[in-house]
Amino acid sequence: MFLRQLEPRTARTTAEVVKFALWPLAIMTVLHRVLVKAVNGARTDDFTPVYNAALAFLNRQPVYTANFNWVDPHYLYAPSGTLLLSPIAIIDPERSRWLFIFGNAVAVIIAGYLLLRMFGLALDSIAAPILLLGMFASETVTNTLVFTNVNGVILLGEVAFLLLLLRRRDAWAGVAIGLTLAIKPVLAPLLLLPLVTKQWRALVTAVGVPLVLTAVAWPLAVDPMEFVHHTLPYLMESRDYFNSAIVGNGAYYNLPTWLIFGLRGVFAVVVLVSLWLLYRYYREDRLFFLTTTTGVLMAGSFLLGSLGQMYYSMMLLPLLMTVVLRNSVMRNWPAWLAVYGFMSLDSWLSGRFPATGRAAEYMKTTLGWSLLLLVICGVLVTRYLTAKREGRLDRGIDPAFDEPEREVVPVAS
């Protein structure tokens, strides 16, 4: 029986062959990232400040004592996040770090499964091993695990939020994103989604969850006002290191202020045009609208905000999954050139060409986010102009496809 599995009497389909090739590659990549690279760690250590803060919180000691003159990772989470993360300090730091790595890896895998469900794809589809391999081979998942950051859990909250919005479970959608906002507000721009789709209960719970957790955490913390007076001002500043936002790279390369603000203004217009076209012509196509708008909001916030780090790009995975939709804005090579810029683990530092290699390494994420936003806006504007020229704006701006393609429908609960 085993030998028949290795070489069946009937020829395998191309899809079967690809799946057989990709599943072992995907599984071994996951194991390598978790058991080797993540456990080995790196110079950048996002976990130790969180563990020390959780330990201090549990022992009724000051939490917000970071010296921001150092460039080492600092503890920056609000009291509500400290409350949620405090259980990690119940056990010793080494075992706690391993559990934290494992928990984030599991969160990423579950998020990938929910993405497949969202797009009507099964575990036995060819998309499953492609997605798993793509996630764990990327810089964003790899460094989230190696640095031992909480981004895997944030990704799970994002995907759960989108899936629950699609299924009209608004209150639970708000809970999903609210828990992430209680830790860090990276997904805050996505609150625009229930606002424009008039899913008000999602907004209520999204805001209510972090407020309730803050109310619980505030009297339990020794120095909660230090978060306001000491940490919050630092969060409002932009730094010139480990910052791929326009303002961060602009400061690093000492660009004139007018140029930095000019670039931010240009890309703000690009984002606004994309959002308007998506709302005007796609809000009834809920799967496409929610996932594509999520990508625009997230990439725009990374590029235009005060801090954008490469491993935040994990939050763009719902947008990348839209490639399975026939009207996706990701079905072109410039979009995936952009993805290479902010997802690839490749280092462009060069011993032979140090200045050029350093520039390529430090700019690839910024250029990737920028190109992605330009591609999305370009695709949508081209569709609008084409539909206007052909006199069919009243029917939407999707291209007139020559051949029918299977519609992707979210799997019902």
Side-chain angles (χ1 to χ4, degrees):
M1 181 63 68
F2 176 71
L3 293 178
R4 288 181 182 176
Q5 289 297 317
L6 293 178
E7 191 63 44
R9 292 181 179 274
T10 56
R12 299 193 187 280
T13 64
T14 302
E16 285 180 318
V17 172
V18 172
K19 285 190 290 184
F20 277 120
L22 289 184
W23 271 118
L25 297 177
I27 292 170
M28 295 309 296
T29 299
V30 172
L31 293 176
H32 176 262
R33 295 301 191 264
V34 174
L35 300 179
V36 180
K37 288 190 73 70
V39 171
N40 286 349
R43 176 191 293 184
T44 301
D45 178 9
D46 290 341
F47 179 75
T48 297
V50 176
Y51 184 89
N52 290 338
L55 187 63
F57 179 82
L58 292 179
N59 287 285
R60 303 284 296 168
Q61 295 175 355
V63 170
Y64 299 104
T65 59
N67 183 349
F68 296 130
N69 293 318
W70 300 346
V71 299
D72 294 330
H74 307 297
Y75 184 74
L76 304 174
Y77 299 153
S80 55
T82 307
L83 175 67
L84 288 177
L85 294 170
S86 60
I88 69 173
I90 294 175
I91 59 176
D92 64 274
E94 183 176 31
R95 285 187 296 170
S96 179
R97 180 175 176 272
W98 290 352
L99 287 174
F100 204 76
I101 292 168
F102 178 75
N104 272 275
V106 170
V108 171
I109 293 171
I110 295 174
Y113 171 73
L114 294 180
L115 277 174
L116 292 173
R117 297 277 294 175
M118 189 186 304
F119 287 89
L121 299 166
L123 281 177
D124 61 356
S125 69
I126 194 173
I130 292 174
L131 177 60
L132 186 64
L133 178 60
M135 289 192 302
F136 280 85
S138 69
E139 184 277 344
T140 179
V141 172
T142 298
N143 280 343
T144 286
L145 299 177
V146 172
F147 301 162
T148 319
N149 197 282
V150 74
N151 288 338
V153 174
I154 303 298
L155 171 68
L156 177 57
E158 177 193 33
V159 175
F161 168 68
L162 294 174
L163 185 59
L164 290 167
L165 278 184
L166 280 168
R167 295 180 173 179
R168 302 285 183 174
R169 297 182 179 179
D170 299 349
W172 285 111
V175 170
I177 196 172
L179 289 172
T180 73
L181 297 177
I183 299 174
K184 59 181 182 180
V186 65
L187 299 182
L190 298 189
L191 294 182
L192 180 66
L193 295 175
L195 180 64
V196 299
T197 58
K198 299 181 180 180
Q199 294 175 262
W200 310 117
R201 285 187 295 176
L203 280 174
V204 171
T205 50
V207 175
V209 166
L211 287 179
V212 169
L213 290 172
T214 298
V216 173
W218 204 268
L220 297 177
V222 173
D223 59 342
M225 287 305 298
E226 283 302 300
F227 173 76
V228 178
H229 298 310
H230 181 61
T231 305
L232 199 56
Y234 175 78
L235 290 172
M236 303 300 291
E237 298 174 358
S238 58
R239 65 195 196 197
D240 61 358
Y241 62 93
F242 302 138
N243 187 358
S244 295
I246 288 174
V247 65
N249 262 329
Y252 180 82
Y253 287 105
N254 200 28
L255 297 181
T257 302
W258 66 265
L259 181 56
I260 294 174
F261 277 98
L263 288 170
R264 294 174 88 183
V266 168
F267 279 97
V269 171
V270 167
V271 169
L272 290 174
V273 170
S274 299
L275 291 177
W276 183 83
L277 289 171
L278 285 167
Y279 175 75
R280 176 68 178 82
Y281 294 104
Y282 284 104
R283 65 182 183 272
E284 299 303 324
D285 184 355
R286 285 175 53 82
L287 179 60
F288 175 88
F289 173 73
L290 290 176
T291 51
T292 306
T293 304
T294 290
V296 174
L297 290 170
M298 288 289 91
S301 67
F302 303 155
L303 190 65
L304 300 175
S306 60
L307 177 63
Q309 295 185 290
M310 188 174 180
Y311 60 10
Y312 290 174
S313 301
M314 190 186 302
M315 310 311 158
L316 299 176
L317 282 171
L319 169 67
L320 305 192
M321 274 297 294
T322 64
V323 72
V324 304
L325 304 175
R326 72 173 183 172
N327 61 348
S328 173
V329 296
M330 299 299 297
R331 289 193 168 191
N332 55 80
W333 68 262
W336 292 94
L337 176 61
V339 172
Y340 176 85
F342 57 75
M343 280 286 191
S344 170
L345 195 58
D346 292 350
S347 172
W348 282 76
L349 297 175
S350 170
R352 180 65 181 82
F353 307 103
T356 304
R358 190 180 303 112
E361 175 68 13
Y362 293 169
M363 289 296 296
K364 67 176 184 176
T365 307
T366 309
L367 293 175
W369 291 336
S370 303
L371 179 57
L372 180 69
L373 290 171
L374 289 172
V375 168
I376 294 172
C377 186
V379 170
L380 294 174
V381 169
T382 299
R383 288 181 182 179
Y384 171 80
L385 294 176
T386 301
K388 184 178 181 180
R389 185 175 63 251
E390 295 175 356
R392 53 180 178 83
L393 279 178
D394 58 329
R395 301 192 301 275
I397 63 173
D398 264 348
F401 297 105
D402 294 331
E403 297 179 2
E405 185 169 332
R406 182 180 68 88
E407 182 182 1
V408 176
V409 180
V411 177
S413 57

